[in-house]
């Protein structure tokens, strides 16, 4: 049995859903399908989820976004019409969206999660109906019916262990099951979404619960590239990766796969294959548990912008028991999550996503650090980019850091910080955003050419 997940670009319009139907029905083993919300059809288009968020956030402000609402409804109506589905299918999609909007208007705290889930829910209704219309037994399967139970953390749900036994019972079903991704239900029956891009998480959870032979994740690229094609023309394709490598790359900017999605599949040792909806016969990239044979020890270079560095300095910091804990406690109190925390004897840096610390929250955090920790210096440096080189073979190779440092020197970019985890699967470098492209290109030449 295979679990097959299709991303937003794979269900962006009726033509793409036709491809989905052909892929699913090409192999008898593809019996469980997980779908995202419709994504961009072309450059400059807007994802359905973004439109739903626009509608939902406009309601408390008293200015209902009619334009965004119309775009959502028109798009689902056009897809249903182009697929020649019964009018009742579109009407059901619209009804569920309208019901979610009504819930948001009541001020229900978790109602926005319900509205955000309507993109995936609508896609699942369309895809299941189209499979049925095409002569293949199929059914829409809500995550509650499937047994996906999650913790009550809106926008960041975590799956509960009892979900996996519940999901296993789906193996008895004979038809093709179409499950909307991105959300589950608390034991009390409350709909809660995963973090953005969470349909990957749903797919992995379902694959683990069903103990599938493989989890296929269909997107819009033939395979995973070793570097972002934005920075390097025609970069090398990766035929295989380990779970740990893919998770590190995803976390650090690879948009092909959600960084949390591999954990359920990893625990069950289910192989994952990333494939292209527009070119399904291409072999894709396999993600496996064990290190594959390869010549290079560095398999990928990931990068992302939008970071800041919170720098704190205090003489004899290393002698002050609990300093780091108290610094991080201030961030926790202010609901700020951090990414990295490299430190020295008298100083400590905390790397954050820029959006975690808007100006008003920055003022509070800085004042608390000054008052409670009595530091000599506290400084915030924005406009940072993080670059990560990844490879499970790096810890067996002398000189990786030296080669990387030379690459930055050749690019004429100063390294602001370095951090390497104890696992030695990855090495992170912080640079100014202005030097990101040159750095990535130079690292690519060093490790892949």
């Amino acid at each position: 049995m295979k679990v097959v997940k299709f991303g937003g670009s794979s269900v962006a319009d009726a033509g793409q859903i036709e491809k989905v139907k052909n892929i699913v029905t090409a192999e008898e083993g593809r019996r469980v399908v997980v779908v995202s919300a419709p994504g961009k059809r072309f450059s400059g288009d807007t994802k359905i989820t973004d439109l739903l968020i626009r509608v939902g956030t406009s309601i408390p402000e008293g200015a209902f976004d009619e334009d965004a609402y119309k775009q959502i409804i028109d798009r689902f109506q056009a897809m249903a019409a182009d697929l020649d589905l019964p009018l009742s299918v579109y009407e059901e999609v619209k009804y569920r969206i309208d019901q979610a909007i009504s819930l948001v208007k009541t001020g229900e705290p978790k109602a926005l999660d319900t509205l955000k889930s309507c993109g995936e829910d609508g896609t699942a209704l369309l895809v299941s109906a189209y499979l049925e219309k095409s002569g293949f037994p199929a059914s829409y399967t809500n995550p509650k019916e499937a047994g996906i139970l999650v913790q009550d953390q809106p926008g960041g749900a975590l799956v509960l262990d009892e979900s996996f036994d519940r999901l296993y019972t789906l193996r008895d079903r004979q038809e093709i099951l179409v499950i909307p991704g991105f959300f589950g239900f608390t034991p009390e029956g409350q709909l809660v979404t995963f973090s953005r891009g969470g349909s990957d998480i749903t797919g992995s959870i379902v694959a683990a619960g069903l103990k599938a032979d493989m989890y296929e994740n269909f997107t819009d690229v033939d395979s995973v590239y070793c570097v972002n094609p934005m920075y390097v023309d025609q970069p090398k394709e990766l035929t295989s990766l380990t779970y740990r490598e893919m998770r590190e790359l995803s976390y650090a900017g690879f948009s092909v796969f959600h960084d949390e999605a591999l954990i359920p599949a990893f625990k069950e040792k289910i192989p994952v294959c990333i494939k292209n909806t527009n070119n399904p016969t291409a072999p894709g990239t396999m993600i496996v548990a064990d290190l594959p044979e390869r010549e290079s020890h560095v398999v990928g270079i990931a990068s992302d912008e939008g970071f800041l560095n919170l720098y704190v300095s205090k003489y004899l910091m290393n002698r002050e028991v609990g300093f780091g804990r108290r610094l991080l406690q201030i961030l926790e109190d202010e609901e700020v999550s951090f990414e990295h925390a490299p430190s020295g004897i008298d100083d400590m840096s905390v790397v954050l996503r820029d959006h975690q610390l808007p100006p008003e929250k920055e003022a509070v955090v800085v004042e608390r650090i000054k008052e409670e920790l009595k530091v000599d210096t506290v400084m915030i440096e924005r406009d940072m980019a993080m670059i990560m080189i990844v490879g499970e073979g790096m810890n067996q190779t002398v000189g990786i850091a030296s080669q990387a440092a030379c690459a930055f020197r050749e690019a004429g970019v100063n390294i602001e910080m370095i951090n390497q985890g104890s696992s030695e699967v990855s090495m992170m470098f912080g640079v100014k955003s202005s030097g990101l492209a040159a750095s990535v290109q130079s690292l690519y030449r060093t490790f892949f050419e």
Side-chain angles (χ1 to χ4, degrees):
M1 174 187 285
K2 290 182 179 180
V3 171
V4 193
K5 182 260 174 181
F6 292 92
S9 62
S10 302
V11 292
D13 58 28
Q16 290 298 93
I17 290 178
E18 171 73 20
K19 295 176 186 176
V20 167
K21 184 262 293 182
N22 292 337
I23 290 168
V24 170
T25 58
E27 288 188 24
E28 190 175 340
R30 289 174 175 151
R31 284 177 35 214
V32 181
V33 181
V34 176
V35 293
S36 297
K40 293 183 178 181
R41 295 160 293 183
F42 47 82
S43 177
D45 196 16
T46 306
K47 297 177 180 179
I48 287 290
T49 302
D50 290 331
L51 293 170
L52 288 165
I53 292 171
R54 271 177 52 187
V55 170
T57 53
S58 72
I59 292 169
E61 298 171 359
F64 184 77
D65 196 329
E66 289 281 0
D67 177 63
Y69 173 76
K70 187 174 186 305
Q71 288 186 60
I72 296 164
I73 298 304
D74 287 352
R75 191 150 161 202
F76 275 118
Q77 186 175 30
M79 291 169 71
D82 291 344
L83 294 169
D84 197 25
L85 297 177
L87 181 61
S88 59
V89 177
Y90 157 70
E91 288 176 339
E92 178 62 24
V93 174
K94 182 178 182 298
Y95 172 76
R96 296 187 183 196
I97 294 170
D98 290 340
Q99 286 293 103
I101 289 171
S102 297
L103 195 62
V104 174
K105 288 179 177 178
T106 67
E108 164 65 37
K110 299 181 181 71
L112 185 57
D113 268 28
T114 302
L115 181 57
K116 287 193 295 184
S117 74
C118 288
E120 286 76 10
D121 202 53
T123 302
L125 288 166
L126 293 181
V127 171
S128 58
Y130 188 58
L131 285 165
E132 278 280 347
K133 173 183 173 293
S134 303
F136 300 94
S139 64
Y140 162 88
T141 307
N142 187 273
K144 180 186 283 188
E145 178 191 351
I148 301 175
L149 296 178
V150 298
Q151 293 178 3
D152 191 1
Q153 297 180 29
L158 295 173
V159 68
L160 297 175
D161 288 342
E162 52 262 45
S163 299
F164 299 104
D165 289 337
R166 290 167 179 257
L167 283 161
Y168 190 76
T169 63
L170 296 180
R171 292 181 69 99
D172 297 331
R173 302 270 291 271
Q174 298 304 308
E175 76 274 33
I176 299 169
L177 307 181
V178 184
I179 304 173
F182 187 43
F183 66 99
F185 288 82
T186 66
E188 295 73 35
Q190 178 69 53
L191 186 153
V192 183
T193 61
F194 296 111
S195 54
R196 190 71 190 268
S199 292
D200 285 343
I201 301 175
T202 302
S204 185
I205 290 168
V206 172
L210 288 166
K211 300 189 184 303
D213 300 310
M214 183 178 289
Y215 170 33
E216 293 181 316
N217 192 299
F218 280 83
T219 178
D220 55 4
V221 293
D222 281 351
S223 63
V224 176
Y225 296 106
C226 66
V227 70
N228 191 332
M230 263 180 55
Y231 301 119
V232 175
D233 187 38
Q234 295 184 325
K236 292 186 177 181
E237 297 181 359
L238 298 174
T239 57
S240 62
L241 289 164
T242 66
Y243 292 113
R244 294 168 73 200
E245 288 169 340
M246 189 68 229
R247 175 161 160 72
E248 293 280 356
L249 290 168
S250 298
Y251 158 75
F254 270 44
S255 59
V256 173
F257 216 95
H258 193 291
D259 63 297
E260 295 178 20
L262 287 169
I263 297 170
F266 168 73
K267 288 180 177 178
E268 291 294 330
K269 294 192 174 352
I270 295 168
V272 178
C273 189
I274 297 174
K275 296 177 73 70
N276 189 350
T277 304
N278 303 312
N279 185 20
T281 58
T285 298
M286 288 296 301
I287 304 172
V288 295
D290 300 320
L291 182 66
E293 289 291 329
R294 58 164 76 105
E295 294 181 10
S296 175
H297 298 295
V298 175
V299 299
I301 304 165
S303 56
D304 205 4
E305 297 180 86
F307 292 91
L308 64 83
N309 175 31
L310 170 62
Y311 173 79
V312 176
S313 175
K314 185 178 184 180
Y315 181 57
L316 295 180
M317 179 191 293
N318 65 314
R319 301 269 299 271
E320 191 171 329
V321 176
F323 182 90
R325 175 188 57 77
R326 285 185 287 133
L327 173 59
L328 296 179
Q329 184 65 55
I330 291 172
L331 296 178
E332 182 181 343
D333 291 346
E334 302 301 330
E335 298 184 331
V336 175
S337 63
F338 75 98
E339 308 292 321
H340 305 275
S343 63
I345 297 174
D346 295 325
D347 53 20
M348 183 173 178
S349 289
V350 183
V351 179
L352 315 170
R353 293 278 180 179
D354 196 74
H355 66 82
Q356 287 283 339
L357 209 62
E360 62 276 9
K361 190 170 283 190
E362 176 186 327
V364 174
V365 168
V366 169
E367 187 60 30
R368 286 193 61 184
I369 291 171
K370 288 178 179 177
E371 289 295 318
E372 297 173 30
L373 303 181
K374 309 300 181 188
V375 299
D376 300 323
T377 306
V378 56
M379 181 175 64
I380 290 178
E381 187 178 16
R382 294 186 182 267
D383 198 29
M384 297 285 293
M386 297 295 141
I387 301 171
M388 191 176 284
I389 58 174
V390 174
E392 291 228 36
M394 283 168 46
N395 62 343
Q396 303 165 6
T397 309
V398 175
I400 295 290
S402 173
Q403 288 178 272
C406 288
F408 283 103
R409 183 190 64 197
E410 289 169 10
V413 176
N414 186 49
I415 301 172
E416 305 288 332
M417 68 179 70
I418 302 176
N419 192 29
Q420 182 171 17
S422 57
S423 67
E424 297 189 36
V425 175
S426 64
M427 189 178 297
M428 184 275 290
F429 301 88
V431 300
K432 286 291 190 182
S433 294
S434 57
L436 176 59
S439 299
V440 170
Q441 290 159 3
S442 185
L443 287 165
Y444 181 81
R445 289 192 295 270
T446 298
F447 290 109
F448 294 96
E449 292 184 348

